[in-house]
């Protein structure tokens, strides 16, 4: 155990000397996590030795210890256990050391070792590929801190709901794996939240097929919402677009962002579009434009205007999509503008 209480404590000279020999920037540690330097026991040489064994050079070791100095407070036994654990999903030690350098905090969180191990084995049994599991370990480490039973129960709840909504047994595994790989944070929810959100959609007359459609389109982010926030967002959209319940439902299916984004976000984006001279009826025709931030919309309108394209009188389709989609559309408009008009009956001018 170590304490973060820094009052009337002195820095551990032995720790400072050991870090200095490894060319670690001690000023940086003092600035960010000085409490580490005050602990009576530290394993600087030992942890550096383990990292070097895995193939880390001097610069990499220094970089890791500067970013995550608390690594030196773990025993060599703890770090070797963690090393063996991550090797279950890493191709080799070269990949492992690269991950540790990028995400040292995730690797050096050893308090939940048994839960981490049980969850890695569970995800492998479930059919998740090792490269996806390593992505989870680095970007969503919290899901491994749960007891494995909690994650199992949540997956079972998702599977049960998928079948109840008309999904097939044959597609269920693919659906679950895709949902998890898109949004592992689903596992931080509870079975109750999942149930409540699905019931909310059914109460609002979305058919089972449409609910499944929304789950796939929203990549599971729907489970991070609440019935109250979804109700507010839908009510806001209905007032703006002045549409019936049935029309609103079709708009949500076309653009799930109307369900996902909070009222302040939708308000800000709508105002940004109206400021550019775009009408509410145009937005209603292409609601997906609300998925874009105000800054992205302004940038795209500016680029299109430079080509002489009037967004106010045209369709908003050209604004839509990912950055790649937009660049393709922009390229088409640009080449159309630059292409010379060919007159097949004009005389050919031959000077020779």
């Amino acid at each position: 155990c170590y304490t973060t209480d820094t009052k009337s404590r002195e820095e551990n000279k032995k720790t400072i000397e050991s870090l200095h020999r490894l060319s670690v920037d001690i000023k940086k540690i003092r600035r960010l996590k000085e409490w580490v330097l005050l602990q009576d026991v530290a394993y600087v040489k030992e942890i550096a030795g383990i990292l070097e064994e895995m193939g880390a050079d001097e610069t990499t070791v220094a970089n890791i210890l500067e970013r995550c100095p608390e690594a030196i407070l773990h025993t060599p036994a703890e770090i070797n256990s963690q090393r063996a654990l991550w090797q279950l999903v890493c191709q080799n030690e070269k990949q492992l050391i690269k991950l540790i350098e990028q995400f040292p905090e995730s690797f050096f969180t050893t308090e939940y070792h048994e839960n981490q191990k049980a969850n890695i084995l569970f995800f492998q049994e479930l059919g998740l590929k090792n490269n996806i599991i390593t992505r989870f370990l680095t970007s969503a480490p919290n899901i491994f801190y749960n007891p494995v039973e909690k994650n199992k129960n949540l997956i079972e709840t998702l599977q049960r709901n998928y079948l109840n909504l008309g999904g097939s047994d044959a597609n269920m595994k693919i659906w679950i794996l895709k949902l998890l790989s898109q949004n592992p944070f689903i596992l931080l929810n509870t079975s109750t939240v999942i149930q409540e959100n699905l019931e909310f959609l059914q109460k609002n007359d979305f058919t089972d097929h449409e609910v499944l459609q929304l789950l796939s389109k929203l990549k599971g982010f729907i489970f991070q919402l609440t019935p109250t926030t979804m109700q507010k967002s839908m009510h806001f959209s209905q007032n703006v677009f002045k549409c019936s319940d049935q029309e609103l439902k079709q708009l949500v299916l076309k653009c799930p962002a109307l369900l996902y984004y909070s009222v302040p976000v939708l308000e800000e984006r709508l105002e940004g579009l109206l400021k550019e001279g775009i009408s509410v009826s145009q937005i209603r025709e292409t609601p997906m434009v609300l998925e874009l931030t105000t800054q992205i919309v302004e940038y795209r309108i500016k680029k299109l205007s430079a080509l002489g394209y009037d967004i106010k009188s045209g369709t908003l389709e050209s604004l839509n999509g990912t950055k790649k989609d937009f660049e393709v559309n922009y390229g088409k408009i640009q080449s159309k503008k630059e292409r010379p008009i060919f007159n097949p009956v004009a005389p050919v001018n031959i000077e020779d």
Side-chain angles (χ1 to χ4, degrees), residues 36-296:
V36 171
L37 304 173
L38 308 179
Q39 306 309 314
D40 296 329
V41 180
Y43 303 92
V44 183
K45 288 178 192 171
E46 294 87 342
I47 302 310
I50 293 170
L51 293 171
E52 282 161 7
E53 264 177 46
M54 284 191 265
D57 58 23
E58 190 181 325
T59 309
T60 304
V61 170
N63 186 29
I64 290 169
L65 297 184
E66 280 167 15
R67 285 189 59 197
C68 185
E70 58 268 42
I72 64 174
L73 303 178
H74 293 291
T75 66
E78 285 173 334
I79 299 310
N80 277 322
S81 295
Q82 199 73 340
R83 175 185 179 179
L85 183 63
W86 281 48
Q87 279 174 327
L88 292 173
V89 288
C90 284
Q91 293 169 357
N92 48 46
E93 292 210 314
K94 189 182 175 184
Q95 187 202 6
L96 176 53
I97 203 69
K98 199 176 174 183
L99 287 174
I100 296 171
E101 188 176 12
Q102 287 176 298
F103 308 95
E105 290 85 359
S106 300
F107 179 78
F108 290 108
T109 301
T110 62
E111 290 86 337
Y112 307 92
H113 183 81
E114 289 309 312
N115 284 358
Q116 285 181 338
K117 187 174 183 179
N119 279 307
I120 285 174
L121 297 174
F122 166 59
F123 290 141
Q124 285 177 328
E125 282 167 28
L126 200 61
L128 277 170
K129 291 181 180 172
N130 283 343
N131 64 324
I132 301 290
I133 299 173
T134 54
R135 184 156 60 80
F136 287 3
L137 276 168
T138 53
S139 61
N142 294 15
I143 67 173
F144 293 88
Y145 307 158
N146 287 337
V148 71
E149 291 73 27
K150 182 185 183 297
N151 285 340
K152 277 182 181 175
N153 288 340
L154 216 87
I155 296 292
E156 281 164 14
T157 301
L158 287 167
Q159 288 171 329
R160 190 170 58 250
N161 277 296
Y162 178 77
L163 294 174
N164 289 344
L165 291 166
S168 69
D169 265 315
N171 291 331
M172 183 173 69
K173 186 179 177 181
I174 297 166
W175 182 79
I176 284 286
L177 294 180
K178 191 177 178 185
L179 203 64
L180 280 176
S181 59
Q182 287 173 329
N183 181 17
F185 297 102
I186 293 169
L187 295 169
L188 297 178
N189 289 310
T190 63
S191 301
T192 315
V193 167
I194 288 174
Q195 214 62 53
E196 282 174 356
N197 286 0
L198 294 177
E199 281 169 14
F200 167 80
L201 293 173
Q202 287 168 318
K203 281 175 191 167
N204 278 273
D205 296 327
F206 286 93
T207 65
D208 289 351
H209 175 71
E210 286 167 345
V211 173
L212 266 187
Q213 201 182 322
L214 279 172
L215 289 185
S216 300
K217 278 189 175 181
L218 281 167
K219 301 175 182 177
F221 287 110
I222 194 166
F223 300 130
Q224 286 163 237
L225 306 173
T226 66
T228 310
T229 57
M230 288 190 280
Q231 185 68 65
K232 283 179 181 173
S233 296
M234 284 174 73
H235 184 66
F236 172 78
S237 298
Q238 192 162 26
N239 283 343
V240 167
F241 298 121
K242 296 183 172 46
C243 55
S244 66
D245 290 351
Q246 188 57 34
E247 286 169 332
L248 176 67
K249 198 178 84 164
Q250 292 311 312
L251 281 172
V252 168
L253 288 168
K254 204 173 175 183
C255 174
L258 296 177
L259 193 69
Y260 177 68
Y261 287 121
S262 65
V263 171
V265 170
L266 289 172
E267 238 168 0
E268 185 205 341
R269 293 186 180 185
L270 190 77
E271 279 170 21
L273 288 162
L274 296 175
K275 199 174 77 180
E276 295 291 339
I278 292 164
S279 67
V280 171
S281 57
Q282 277 179 296
I283 300 166
R284 181 173 168 169
E285 197 62 40
T286 317
M288 294 78 75
V289 78
L290 289 166
E291 292 172 0
L292 305 169
T293 65
T294 307
Q295 290 81 359
I296 290 172

Side-chain angles (χ1 to χ4, degrees), residues 330-342:
Y330 177 78
K332 283 178 186 173
I333 295 167
Q334 192 175 32
S335 60
K336 199 174 177 183
K337 185 175 182 289
E338 289 169 357
R339 198 181 299 134
I341 297 166
F342 174 64

